[in-house]
Every structure is written in C-alpha cells, then in structure tokens.
Amino acid sequence: MMVETLGIHELWLFILSGLLLNVTPGPDTAYIIGRSIQFGWRGGAAAATGISVGCLVHVFGAAIGLSALLMASSTAFTVLKWAGAAYLLFTGIQMLLSRPQPIAEAAAAAETSLSRVFWQGALTNVLNPKVALFFLAFLPQFVAADSGHKTLAFLVLGLIFITSGTLWCFGVAAFAARAARRIRQSAGVMAWINRALGGLFVYLGIRVAMLETR
C-alpha cells in the first residue's frame, strides 16, 4: 500500500484522532457559525475554506521543515507571534467598533464581505504559531522515524486531516445558515453577532500574544 511505502502507520488511528479533533468545538467553529449566521451558507463555506487554506500552509511548513525552524528559533517564533496578535487585535477592534448596516446595504456588500471572510479565516491560522506547532507535533507520530519519504507522508496526512475537517465545517455552516434565516433579517442582531466575532478575534489575539517563546 502507498501509506506503508511512505512510512505511515496506524492510519486508522490518525483518521479517528483527526475526526475527534475536528468535531471538537473551538474558535474556528465559532467563527464559521458566526459567518454562517451573517452571510448564510456561502459565508460559512468561505470561512471554512479560509481556515482550511491556513491549515494547509502549516502542513506544507511542517513537511518542508519551516515549523521545525519556528520551534527552534525564538526570533522567528516571536516575529510570527506578534504579527498574528497584531492582526487579530486590529481586526477584532475594527469589528467591535463597526456600525450596523441597513439590510439592503449589507446584501449589496455581500460579495466583498465573502472575500474578507475567507482571508480573515486564512490569516487567523497562518499567523498563529500554535497551529504550526500543533501540526509539527501531531503528524510525526504517524510516520516512521526511518521513512525516506517524510515530506510526502506529512503532506498526505495533512491533506487527509484538512479534507475531513473541511467537510465537517461545511456541514456546520449549512446547519447554522439554515437555522439562522430569520436572524439575518434583523440588522441589530447582525451587528451584535459582528461584535461577538470581534470579541473572539480580540480574545485570540491576546491568547497568541501570551504564547511563550519556545
């Protein structure tokens, strides 16, 4: 089998662990639900896709050794940490201070908003060193130490993890969007949801800023 050739072992355990990690609610899930309520299925899907792209960047980083460099270099870790914290705090404060839009204006701006939703989800993960360290710690557990194809093995495992997670997130987005059809008709409620998401970004920014250099 291909997985054996690559040195991948206990694939069933990796898939099960990945599913359990993906279905455990966390900040990413909260972000997807919030955007699904705001913009419907397309908003949730844009958020989920952005998050997955951000994770994919870290999978490539783990595969080619960038994550190892991040762990070994306190300077690299600190630079990424403060860049991520600054981005999250700026985005969060911006959302907290935003004013409610009339429904007609919000609908007209939906296309631009979806692009912003995607990039917010992607950058939230790309600029978070904790995500990089997670993949660096998680993926090697399922690859033989003497494997001659570690890079490819990390990529295969990472794609499996991200694919299952993306499918789950799409399901969450569809459920949240369907449940929130009436909520989207209220500009006031939508403004509070946007502020709640802003609070989430601020919280994540503070968490990233408090990460200790390794």
Side-chain angles (χ1 to χ4, degrees), residues 24-142:
T24 302
D28 286 346
T29 303
Y31 181 64
I32 291 167
I33 291 173
R35 291 313 195 185
S36 298
I37 292 172
Q38 284 184 308
F39 302 112
W41 148 251
R42 294 175 67 195
T49 304
I51 288 167
S52 296
V53 168
C55 289
L56 188 60
V57 170
H58 287 301
V59 168
F60 276 106
I64 64 177
L66 289 178
S67 294
L69 174 63
L70 186 65
M71 178 175 278
S73 169
S74 61
T75 301
F77 184 94
T78 301
V79 168
L80 183 60
K81 179 184 81 167
W82 287 114
Y87 169 76
L88 289 166
L89 288 169
F90 174 78
T91 303
I93 292 170
Q94 200 174 41
M95 293 171 76
L96 284 170
L97 298 177
S98 65
R99 295 181 179 179
Q101 282 183 301
I103 302 221
E105 284 183 29
E111 292 301 325
T112 303
S113 297
L114 290 178
S115 173
R116 184 176 300 174
V117 165
F118 169 84
W119 285 111
Q120 283 178 347
L123 290 174
T124 298
N125 279 272
V126 170
L127 296 175
N128 189 346
K130 193 173 180 180
V131 179
L133 298 180
F134 163 74
F135 281 110
L136 186 63
F138 184 56
L139 298 181
Q141 296 183 47
F142 300 92

Side-chain angles (χ1 to χ4, degrees), residues 143-198:
V143 179
D146 59 353
S147 170
H149 306 281
K150 285 191 177 71
T151 298
L152 188 54
F154 284 177
L155 290 176
V156 169
L157 290 176
L159 288 172
I160 291 172
F161 181 87
I162 291 170
T163 299
S164 65
T166 303
L167 292 174
W168 168 257
C169 289
F170 280 171
V172 170
F175 178 81
R178 185 178 180 84
R181 285 178 181 172
R182 292 187 179 181
I183 294 177
R184 281 194 295 276
Q185 301 305 312
S186 170
V189 172
M190 297 299 287
W192 278 108
I193 290 172
N194 198 56
R195 287 168 189 156
L197 288 171

Side-chain angles (χ1 to χ4, degrees), residues 190-214:
M190 297 299 287
W192 278 108
I193 290 172
N194 198 56
R195 287 168 189 156
L197 288 171
L200 174 65
F201 272 84
V202 170
Y203 165 72
L204 290 174
I206 294 171
R207 259 185 38 172
V208 169
M210 292 177 67
L211 286 174
E212 300 216 355
T213 305
R214 297 172 187 245

